[in-house]
Coordinates of all heavy atoms in Angstrom, one line a residue:
T18 N 17.2 23.5 125.2 CA 17.9 24.5 126.1 C 18.2 25.8 125.3 O 18.1 26.9 125.7 CB 19.1 23.9 126.7 OG1 18.8 22.7 127.3 CG2 19.6 24.8 127.8
S19 N 18.6 25.5 124.0 CA 19.1 26.6 123.1 C 18.7 26.4 121.7 O 19.5 26.0 120.9 CB 20.6 26.7 123.4 OG 21.1 27.8 122.6
R22 N 17.8 21.7 117.8 CA 19.0 21.0 117.4 C 18.6 19.6 116.9 O 17.8 19.0 117.6 CB 20.0 20.9 118.5 CG 20.7 22.2 118.7 CD 21.8 22.1 119.7 NE 22.0 23.4 120.3 CZ 22.9 23.7 121.2 NH1 23.7 22.8 121.7 NH2 23.0 24.9 121.6
A112 N 24.7 24.6 116.3 CA 24.4 23.6 117.3 C 25.5 23.6 118.3 O 25.7 22.6 119.0 CB 24.2 22.1 116.7
S113 N 26.1 24.8 118.4 CA 27.1 25.1 119.4 C 28.1 24.0 119.7 O 28.9 23.8 118.8 CB 26.3 25.4 120.7 OG 27.1 25.8 121.7
H114 N 28.2 23.4 120.9 CA 29.3 22.5 121.2 C 29.1 21.1 120.5 O 29.8 20.2 120.5 CB 29.3 22.3 122.7 CG 28.1 21.7 123.3 ND1 26.9 22.4 123.4 CD2 27.8 20.4 123.7 CE1 25.9 21.7 123.9 NE2 26.4 20.5 124.1
N115 N 27.9 20.9 119.9 CA 27.7 19.6 119.2 C 28.5 19.5 117.9 O 28.7 20.5 117.3 CB 26.2 19.5 118.8 CG 25.2 19.5 120.0 OD1 25.5 20.1 121.0 ND2 24.1 18.9 119.8
K126 N 18.4 29.0 116.3 CA 17.7 29.6 117.3 C 17.3 31.0 117.0 O 18.0 31.7 116.1 CB 18.5 29.5 118.6 CG 19.7 30.3 118.7 CD 20.3 30.3 120.1 CE 21.5 31.0 120.2 NZ 21.9 31.2 121.7
D277 N 33.9 27.5 122.1 CA 33.1 26.3 121.5 C 32.7 26.7 120.1 O 33.2 27.7 119.5 CB 31.9 26.0 122.3 CG 30.8 27.1 122.3 OD1 31.2 28.3 122.1 OD2 29.7 26.8 122.5
D279 N 30.1 28.0 118.5 CA 29.6 29.3 118.3 C 30.2 30.4 119.1 O 29.6 31.5 119.0 CB 28.0 29.3 118.3 CG 27.6 29.0 119.8 OD1 28.3 28.2 120.5 OD2 26.5 29.3 120.1
D281 N 30.4 31.1 122.3 CA 29.8 31.7 123.6 C 30.3 31.0 124.8 O 30.1 31.5 125.9 CB 28.2 31.7 123.5 CG 27.7 30.3 123.3 OD1 28.4 29.3 123.2 OD2 26.4 30.2 123.2
R282 N 31.2 29.9 124.6 CA 31.6 29.3 125.9 C 33.2 29.5 126.0 O 33.8 29.9 125.0 CB 31.4 27.8 125.8 CG 30.0 27.4 125.9 CD 30.0 25.9 126.0 NE 28.6 25.3 125.9 CZ 28.3 24.2 126.3 NH1 29.2 23.3 126.7 NH2 27.0 23.8 126.0
T344 N 18.8 26.1 133.9 CA 19.9 26.0 132.8 C 19.5 26.7 131.5 O 18.4 26.5 131.2 CB 20.2 24.5 132.6 OG1 20.7 23.9 133.8 CG2 21.2 24.3 131.5
G345 N 20.4 27.4 130.9 CA 20.2 28.0 129.7 C 20.1 29.5 129.8 O 19.7 30.1 130.8
W346 N 20.7 30.1 128.8 CA 21.0 31.6 128.9 C 19.7 32.4 128.8 O 19.6 33.6 129.4 CB 22.0 32.2 127.8 CG 22.8 33.3 128.4 CD1 22.6 34.6 128.1 CD2 24.0 33.2 129.3 NE1 23.6 35.3 128.8 CE2 24.4 34.5 129.5 CE3 24.6 32.1 129.9 CZ2 25.5 34.8 130.3 CZ3 25.7 32.4 130.6 CH2 26.1 33.7 130.9
E363 N 27.4 29.8 133.9 CA 27.0 28.4 133.9 C 28.1 27.5 134.1 O 29.2 27.8 133.6 CB 26.1 28.0 132.7 CG 24.9 28.7 132.5 CD 24.1 28.1 131.5 OE1 24.3 28.4 130.2 OE2 23.2 27.4 131.8
E364 N 27.9 26.3 134.6 CA 29.0 25.4 134.9 C 29.5 24.9 133.7 O 30.6 24.2 133.6 CB 28.5 24.2 135.8 CG 27.2 23.5 135.4 CD 27.2 22.8 134.1 OE1 28.2 22.2 133.9 OE2 26.3 22.8 133.3
S365 N 28.7 25.0 132.5 CA 29.1 24.4 131.2 C 30.1 25.3 130.4 O 30.2 25.3 129.3 CB 27.9 24.2 130.4 OG 27.1 25.3 130.3
K376 N 26.0 34.3 126.6 CA 27.3 34.0 127.2 C 28.4 34.4 126.1 O 28.0 34.4 125.0 CB 27.4 32.6 127.7 CG 27.0 31.5 126.7 CD 26.9 30.2 127.5 CE 26.8 29.0 126.6 NZ 25.3 28.8 126.2
R414 N 31.2 17.5 136.7 CA 30.0 17.1 136.0 C 30.3 15.8 135.3 O 31.3 15.7 134.6 CB 29.5 18.1 135.0 CG 28.2 17.8 134.4 CD 27.7 18.9 133.4 NE 28.1 18.5 132.0 CZ 27.9 19.4 131.0 NH1 27.3 20.6 131.2 NH2 28.2 19.0 129.8
R484 N 20.0 16.1 135.9 CA 19.0 16.6 134.9 C 19.3 16.0 133.5 O 20.4 15.4 133.3 CB 18.9 18.1 134.8 CG 20.1 18.8 134.4 CD 19.9 20.3 134.3 NE 19.2 20.7 133.1 CZ 19.8 20.8 132.0 NH1 21.1 20.6 131.8 NH2 19.2 21.2 130.8
L485 N 18.3 16.0 132.6 CA 18.6 15.4 131.3 C 18.9 16.7 130.4 O 18.2 17.7 130.5 CB 17.4 14.7 130.8 CG 16.9 13.5 131.7 CD1 15.7 12.8 131.0 CD2 18.1 12.5 131.8
S486 N 19.9 16.5 129.5 CA 20.2 17.5 128.6 C 19.1 18.0 127.7 O 18.3 17.1 127.3 CB 21.4 17.1 127.8 OG 21.6 17.8 126.6
G487 N 19.1 19.3 127.3 CA 18.1 19.7 126.3 C 18.8 20.1 125.0 O 18.3 20.9 124.3
T488 N 20.1 19.7 124.7 CA 20.7 20.0 123.5 C 21.2 18.8 122.7 O 21.8 19.0 121.7 CB 22.0 20.8 123.8 OG1 22.8 20.1 124.7 CG2 21.6 22.2 124.5
D489 N 20.9 17.7 123.2 CA 21.4 16.3 122.5 C 20.5 16.0 121.4 O 19.3 16.5 121.3 CB 21.6 15.2 123.5 CG 20.3 15.0 124.3 OD1 19.3 15.7 124.1 OD2 20.3 14.2 125.2
R496 N 23.0 14.3 132.9 CA 24.1 15.1 133.5 C 23.9 14.9 135.0 O 22.8 15.2 135.6 CB 24.0 16.5 133.1 CG 24.0 16.8 131.6 CD 24.5 18.1 131.3 NE 24.3 18.6 129.9 CZ 24.9 18.2 128.8 NH1 25.9 17.3 129.0 NH2 24.7 18.6 127.6
Y498 N 25.7 16.5 138.4 CA 26.6 17.6 138.8 C 26.9 17.4 140.3 O 25.9 17.2 141.1 CB 25.7 19.0 138.6 CG 25.1 19.2 137.3 CD1 23.8 18.7 137.0 CD2 25.8 20.0 136.3 CE1 23.2 18.9 135.8 CE2 25.2 20.2 135.1 CZ 24.0 19.7 134.8 OH 23.3 20.0 133.7
Ligands
VG1_601 C1 24.0 22.8 127.6 C2 24.5 23.3 128.9 C3 23.9 24.6 129.3 C4 24.0 25.6 128.1 C5 23.5 25.0 126.9 C6 23.6 25.7 125.7 O1 22.6 22.5 127.9 O2 24.5 22.4 129.9 O3 24.5 25.2 130.4 O4 23.3 26.8 128.3 O5 24.1 23.7 126.6 O6 25.0 26.1 125.5 P1 22.0 21.0 128.2 O7 20.5 21.2 128.2 O8 22.5 20.1 127.2 O9 22.5 20.7 129.6 V1 25.6 26.2 123.9 O10 27.1 27.0 124.1 O11 25.7 24.5 123.5 O12 24.5 27.0 123.0

Side-chain angles (χ1 to χ4, degrees):
T18 312
S19 179
R22 285 185 203 180
S113 189
H114 62 287
N115 298 31
K126 68 173 181 165
D277 71 334
D279 59 334
D281 56 2
R282 297 191 186 192
T344 294
W346 214 260
E363 294 193 278
E364 51 66 40
S365 52
K376 52 191 186 278
R414 185 176 98 185
R484 61 178 282 282
L485 299 183
S486 158
T488 58
D489 49 3
R496 301 205 195 284
Y498 310 84

